[in-house]
Amino acid sequence: MSALAAAILPAQVPYQRIVNADKEPQNWLTYSRTYNGQRYSPLAQITPANAAGLKPLWTYQIKQMDHFETTPLAVDGVLYITEPPDTVSALDARTGRSLWHYVRPVPPDIRPCCGRVNRGVAILDNTVYVGTLDAHLIALNARNGSVEWDTVVADYKAGHSLTLAPLAIDGKVIVGIAGGEFGIRGFIDAYDAKSGKQLWRFWTVPGQGDPGNDTWRGESWKTGGAPAWVTGAYDPDLNLVYWGTGNPGPDWNPAVRGGDNLYSCSVVALDASTGKLKWHFQFTPHDSHDYDSTNVPMLLDGMVRGKQRKLLALANRNAFYYLLDRSTGEFVSGKPYAHYTWTKGLDDSGRPQVDAALEPSENGTLVSPSLYGATNWYSPSYSPATKLVYVSVREQSSYFYKSEAEYKEGAMFVGGGERAIAGDKAWGAVRALDAFTGAIKWEFKLKSPPWSGVLSTAGGLVFGGSMEGNFYALEGKTGKPLWDYQTGAEMYSNIMSFGVDGKQRIAVTSGHALFVFGLP
Amino acid sequence: MFPTVLLLFFLAAQSNPAPAPPIDWAKAKRLFDANCAGCHGPEGAGGKGPALAVPILPHARTNEQLAGVIVGGIPGTLMPASWHLGNEGVMLAVAYVRKLGAGATPPKVEGDAAKGQALFAGKGGCTNCHSIGYGPDLSSIGSRRTAASLRESITDPAAEVLEDYLPVRIVTREGKMVQGMRVNEDTFTIQIMEPSGRFSSFRKDSLSKLDKRVGESPMPSYKAVFSENELRDVVAYLSSLRGEQ
């Protein structure tokens, strides 16, 4: 087995390797593979012509019952994954056999709002970074999983947690906090990659005296939420970090927080060196339906209305697909990609024309999309080959309820809830959008609203997963189904591709297992 | 973000309670009328949901179980998750359901259960489906449903069809026709049970037609089959089926 031993080299991932990730398509070095958030694999061995021959090659099973939502990183023959609740494992990419585990006990009194999940690690140089449910950021030696440093990001007892994969850039590790259902005050932090010392913090709810604080009535900013629980994107040329932010608190009773509630339900562009706000764009001002904008921003360049532009594309939970100028934050366009009723539409500046009659009420107000949105945390994908953005879409509506909300530290602060219309009335789809106009080019229908993201590849494929366990490949140009495999469990997953022994592999979690597929 | 699983959170909050606040009964009634009475009937007399004004609730013997049923619903049945009520609302609902139970007298059902049993197995042919798993298990139906709603199930089954019992008609590309009930479905395949109890499974791309008969029931109506007295007897028999209590 000398070949096996030779494959497992010490990880050496200097920042420049991540910047130039396209030079090593067999690896997957950061959450969305590239800093631009596109979740596109340049690997092209698996194609529409041979996809029907895909077979499972190995399976790795975890021991916890929580959702398994990790995106593996692939580095020179090793996969780095997180397992719920707070375990990091290194696996041999060829066989799935484990190389090391880092197991961190979860404090017994921890109660994250939405499951004990973790969505992956970051890697930089020889270190693997993981955020934990008790809101620590931990640096592990990539060779054996030993702890290099352990920094407390925030107090978990007040409802803070980290569930996202950190973003590692030049000398820094960036994380956004979760806890928007507990009346936390959201933030995005950068830590020194070597020492774990905090370098900067950007409050997603501006403090007293800061611009934007006046978009919150009275003291409501103190419990304003606006968490930042999904990994953002980075443009090394502009040196800007882009991050989506979540709902204002309390979720469904907006009366107590009059105003637009900046910077909730927004995307913020931060100077990576200082954490200073360069620009922001708020998709859903004064949100009352929990339409987080914590969707992965995709950075793409192209022609819009005859003009070449540096763009940020975001398929929002609120059912609109937005294009912004990523240098300035200027609104370029916004088009619906799913059924919606919460707004009449967008005006010329991209601001929604909200119908106040559709706010949550004591007896329930029927609104689309549902609380879980037209899409959610799982990733979209952009293929530079087809110039299409692929989104995994949820077509569902729900009754939104409003009730009293009283803040108590560490307790839920939501002010209502929802009852979703389930069964055959709810369904899903993968939709392909023209990246530069938002026009829907095709759709592939799913039996029920999905919790799995999509991956597009240079081979011309789009992979996705369903809540009934179907893992499938579509033709990227047309949406035609080419292959599917029943994994046997609900899929809460983000899909990635890597290469080992010169062969392309596709990795996806389903239920409590990681499956790796390839052509035999 | 938001919750798929909130149950633990609520139950934990229930298990170390602050000193119980006095119950606002007017508010509790409003909450029950708005959220529960539509299915469980006014004052919990029962409807398409079981009567709650009964001494024992099999799914909710303790208050914690009751709170759990309210927050999380009963998966696979009509009983919805009502976590939107919040801690206070759930507590009020628990108190109100217990109050209904405390004052309960068992409803009197007309008809002759023994005759009804004979009709069930004989003239009605009900066992053709309900003993082979083509229709749902009825062994505790009497504890879940009122006489009036049982009557409706028999005379007008399509009025309220259980989600899990969708009638389907399919035609394969070779022209073979299969009718039955959907047992399971995913994006690419469908599994069907025929009235004989036989299972079959198809890839959707091998079908020329997949007709989901939404709003129909696989069960025939007995409106024209039973006399009024027979109907009463069958209902009396079903009401007596209370499972193991």
Side-chain angles (χ1 to χ4, degrees):
Chain A
M1 292 309 283
S2 63
L4 183 66
I8 304 161
L9 293 167
Q12 287 286 349
V13 189
Y15 165 68
Q16 280 306 327
R17 262 184 83 179
I18 311 177
V19 174
N20 298 315
D22 282 344
K23 291 197 185 137
E24 40 183 304
Q26 76 280 15
N27 286 324
W28 189 284
L29 302 176
T30 186
Y31 185 61
S32 302
R33 193 185 71 82
T34 42
Y35 284 135
N36 59 23
Q38 293 179 1
R39 196 168 284 258
Y40 167 79
S41 170
L43 294 174
Q45 276 175 3
I46 307 171
T47 66
N50 62 23
L54 281 167
K55 293 273 179 302
L57 301 177
W58 56 258
T59 305
Y60 173 81
Q61 306 217 23
I62 61 169
K63 297 176 183 67
Q64 298 291 329
M65 290 308 286
D66 311 80
H67 294 163
F68 185 24
E69 300 183 347
T70 196
T71 294
L73 297 189
V75 185
D76 305 331
V78 178
L79 300 186
Y80 296 94
I81 64 167
T82 55
E83 304 174 24
D86 274 334
T87 293
V88 181
S89 299
L91 309 179
D92 169 29
R94 184 185 291 145
T95 61
R97 297 295 293 161
S98 63
L99 306 174
W100 56 256
H101 299 286
Y102 163 75
V103 181
R104 184 181 160 78
V106 175
D109 56 340
I110 205 161
R111 259 180 245 116
C113 71
C114 317
R116 306 195 308 167
V117 299
N118 187 292
R119 305 207 168 89
V121 294
I123 193 163
L124 188 67
D125 297 328
N126 292 319
T127 308
V128 169
Y129 300 91
V130 63
T132 68
L133 287 172
D134 56 348
H136 288 228
L137 178 62
I138 295 174
L140 303 172
N141 182 326
R143 217 165 296 175
N144 60 14
S146 64
V147 176
E148 290 180 348
W149 51 257
D150 176 341
T151 295
V152 180
V153 170
D155 177 12
Y156 77 84
K157 292 197 166 122
H160 298 98
S161 61
L162 290 172
T163 52
L164 79 184
L167 181 70
I169 60 172
D170 196 7
K172 291 181 202 64
V173 184
I174 301 174
V175 292
I177 201 73
E181 275 63 56
F182 296 94
I184 62 152
R185 182 179 168 212
F187 57 80
I188 298 160
D189 277 1
Y191 293 87
D192 181 77
K194 287 273 174 285
S195 68
K197 266 195 15 229
Q198 192 187 92
L199 297 174
W200 50 255
R201 166 165 295 183
F202 173 76
W203 289 105
T204 54
V205 179
Q208 211 129 41
D210 289 333
N213 180 265
D214 58 354
T215 62
W216 297 85
R217 181 184 301 154
E219 305 275 276
S220 62
W221 62 274
K222 288 185 176 163
T223 51
W229 54 277
V230 168
T231 310
Y234 176 56
D235 183 331
D237 296 332
L238 297 173
N239 195 34
L240 291 177
V241 171
Y242 304 92
W243 219 275
T245 62
N247 62 281
D251 302 46
W252 299 290
N253 190 341
V256 300
R257 49 173 169 80
D260 276 358
N261 307 142
L262 291 173
Y263 302 99
S264 66
C265 301
S266 302
V267 66
V268 291
L270 307 177
D271 182 313
S273 309
T274 63
K276 291 256 151 35
L277 181 70
K278 176 83 187 293
W279 57 258
H280 76 275
F281 182 84
Q282 190 176 41
F283 303 99
T284 314
H286 192 65
D287 165 53
S288 59
H289 298 98
D290 195 8
Y291 293 155
D292 288 332
S293 297
T294 46
N295 306 104
V296 175
M298 292 166 286
L299 312 184
L300 25 129
D301 298 343
M303 295 286 267
V304 177
R305 298 189 284 265
K307 195 171 153 199
Q308 179 70 22
R309 300 191 81 142
K310 281 178 184 281
L311 298 161
L312 179 151
L314 192 139
N316 198 292
R317 185 159 160 177
N318 74 8
F320 286 80
Y321 172 77
Y322 294 86
L323 288 173
L324 307 176
D325 183 309
R326 76 171 178 273
S327 315
T328 63
E330 181 197 335
F331 171 75
V332 175
S333 66
K335 255 221 162 109
Y337 66 90
H339 181 63
Y340 67 97
T341 60
W342 66 278
T343 175
K344 295 190 189 92
L346 305 182
D347 70 13
D348 291 345
S349 68
R351 191 180 172 91
Q353 309 190 310
V354 176
D355 188 343
L358 292 174
E359 278 194 2
S361 58
E362 205 175 316
N363 293 330
T365 314
L366 187 62
V367 176
S368 294
S370 82
L371 155 61
Y372 301 109
T375 192
N376 206 288
W377 61 265
Y378 46 77
S379 293
S381 178
Y382 169 70
S383 163
T386 59
K387 301 219 179 331
L388 296 175
V389 161
Y390 304 99
V391 200
S392 194
V393 184
R394 304 172 58 85
E395 289 289 1
Q396 187 169 31
S397 45
S398 53
Y399 288 96
F400 286 82
Y401 295 85
K402 178 164 89 172
S403 64
E404 235 104 281
E406 197 190 325
Y407 178 75
K408 239 194 303 158
E409 187 178 276
M412 285 261 182
F413 180 60
V414 293
E418 75 136 19
R419 194 151 55 76
I421 306 289
D424 285 329
K425 286 188 195 101
W427 54 285
V430 173
R431 295 206 173 115
L433 316 181
D434 179 314
F436 302 101
T437 67
I440 298 174
K441 291 297 178 189
W442 54 254
E443 101 171 344
F444 174 72
K445 281 201 166 78
L446 299 170
K447 160 83 177 32
S448 62
W451 279 103
S452 173
V454 284
L455 167 76
S456 63
T457 70
L461 298 172
V462 173
F463 290 89
S466 82
M467 283 308 271
E468 291 77 32
N470 305 109
F471 183 51
Y472 56 86
L474 309 176
E475 185 176 44
K477 269 196 204 125
T478 62
K480 190 177 135 205
L482 300 168
W483 168 83
D484 59 274
Y485 178 83
Q486 176 53 254
T487 59
E490 296 179 340
M491 299 179 75
Y492 293 83
S493 35
N494 250 346
I495 306 160
M496 58 82 76
S497 182
F498 65 95
V500 64
D501 302 328
K503 295 222 171 108
Q504 183 179 5
R505 300 287 179 247
I506 311 287
V508 64
T509 59
S510 172
H512 308 108
L514 173 69
F515 289 81
V516 167
F517 293 87
L519 298 171
Chain B
M1 176 53 184
F2 219 78
T4 35
V5 194
L6 270 168
L7 189 55
L8 281 176
F9 190 81
F10 278 95
L11 291 182
Q14 300 277 324
S15 61
N16 47 22
I23 306 274
D24 177 346
W25 289 111
K27 192 168 176 187
K29 179 174 165 37
R30 273 207 311 280
L31 184 145
F32 185 87
D33 287 350
N35 293 282
C36 319
C39 293
H40 290 287
E43 300 304 310
K48 58 188 166 181
L52 298 178
V54 293
I56 296 172
L57 296 170
H59 282 100
R61 289 175 194 274
T62 66
N63 281 354
E64 246 134 71
Q65 286 170 344
L66 179 52
V69 164
I70 294 169
V71 172
I74 304 180
T77 76
L78 268 183
M79 173 65 196
S82 299
W83 56 265
H84 67 265
L85 298 174
N87 271 341
E88 194 211 349
V90 171
M91 241 102 79
L92 284 175
V94 167
Y96 197 75
V97 169
R98 289 303 181 216
K99 190 178 169 202
L100 294 173
T105 46
K108 213 176 129 313
V109 180
E110 305 167 331
D112 182 335
K115 281 192 190 150
Q117 179 166 17
L119 290 163
F120 188 82
K123 181 175 176 186
C126 316
T127 47
N128 289 345
C129 293
H130 287 284
S131 303
I132 62 161
Y134 191 69
D137 176 31
L138 300 178
S139 61
S140 64
I141 192 77
S143 65
R144 285 184 283 128
R145 302 274 300 271
T146 58
S149 82
L150 286 173
R151 192 190 171 96
E152 187 190 67
S153 283
I154 299 167
T155 56
D156 188 8
E160 191 78 49
V161 183
L162 297 169
E163 271 260 315
D164 292 345
Y165 296 88
L166 180 73
V168 290
R169 270 189 219 162
I170 62 135
V171 184
T172 66
R173 286 203 195 286
E174 290 78 47
K176 188 178 153 210
M177 191 157 89
V178 178
Q179 285 198 49
M181 194 168 66
R182 177 179 67 179
V183 177
N184 210 344
E185 183 183 355
D186 64 25
T187 293
F188 298 93
T189 69
I190 186 161
Q191 290 71 40
I192 295 173
M193 188 195 270
E194 291 172 57
S196 64
R198 206 180 87 98
F199 283 111
S200 44
S201 170
F202 301 91
R203 276 194 68 87
K204 290 182 186 172
D205 58 15
S206 75
L207 303 179
S208 62
K209 194 165 167 204
L210 168 50
D211 186 8
K212 298 184 186 174
R213 321 282 293 179
V214 180
E216 287 180 19
S217 169
M219 171 165 154
S221 164
Y222 285 86
K223 205 186 250 160
V225 175
F226 287 142
S227 70
E228 182 55 33
N229 278 343
E230 287 172 330
L231 198 53
R232 243 182 251 167
D233 294 343
V234 173
V235 169
Y237 169 62
L238 293 177
S239 298
S240 73
L241 298 175
R242 302 196 153 249
E244 305 212 357
Q245 292 256 341

